[in-house]
Amino acid sequence: MEIWAKMYEAARAVQNDRRISEYVEAGGVAAAILSSSGRIYTGVCIDTCSTLGICAERNAIFNMITCGEQEIKRVLAIMPDGKSGPPCGACRELMVQLMPEGYKNIEILMDYESKRVVTLGELTPEWWI
């Protein structure tokens, strides 16, 4: 569970809930992605008054892709109350599309306190394709 602790700390380090403008807030949720290389990528949610925002998990995934990687091993999201939780449907869909042959093995930390881990395959057993 040591890697989950590192991921949790990495996500907490960037989780800085703040108002950027009257139309944009950021950092309410933070995420950490562990890539197949063992590198941790982070991201925060960016909420806007329109549909231009992005979830923390997708932000972290896009950071990973920007840095030249594309394979996810683990995902952790921290909610505003400091607890972990599952990714939303849009984030799950991106992971499935990114790794259609291997998405079912991505580990998701559902609850940091109890160390409950499930796979994306358990959360998303069937895909629409």
Side-chain angles (χ1 to χ4, degrees), residues 3 15 22 30 33 38 40-42 46-47 57 62 64 71-72 75 78-79 88 93 96 98 103 105 113 117 120 127:
I3 191 62
Q15 187 176 27
E22 62 185 295
I33 302 290
I40 296 172
Y41 296 92
T42 58
I46 300 172
D47 295 313
E57 299 94 326
F62 294 152
M64 176 189 72
E71 190 172 324
I72 301 165
V75 178
I78 303 174
M79 305 305 149
C88 73
E93 178 66 24
V96 170
L98 184 62
Y103 81 90
N105 298 320
E113 292 172 358
V117 176
L120 186 55
W127 189 36

Side-chain angles (χ1 to χ4, degrees), residues 7 14 21 34 43 49 60 65 72 80 83 91 120 128:
M7 291 173 67
V14 297
S21 76
L34 180 71
C49 67
I65 291 170
I72 301 165
K83 296 182 185 256
C91 293
L120 186 55
W128 60 272

Side-chain angles (χ1 to χ4, degrees), residues 21-88:
S21 76
E22 62 185 295
Y23 306 108
V24 178
E25 294 180 3
V29 175
I33 302 290
L34 180 71
S35 71
S36 61
S37 74
R39 187 167 173 198
I40 296 172
Y41 296 92
T42 58
V44 298
C45 68
I46 300 172
D47 295 313
T48 69
C49 67
S50 64
T51 60
L52 299 176
I54 188 168
C55 296
E57 299 94 326
R58 281 182 286 150
N59 197 344
I61 292 167
F62 294 152
N63 186 14
M64 176 189 72
I65 291 170
T66 298
C67 291
E69 295 197 63
Q70 69 237 10
E71 190 172 324
I72 301 165
K73 289 188 65 126
R74 293 187 170 138
V75 178
L76 174 149
I78 303 174
M79 305 305 149
D81 64 2
K83 296 182 185 256
S84 55
C88 73

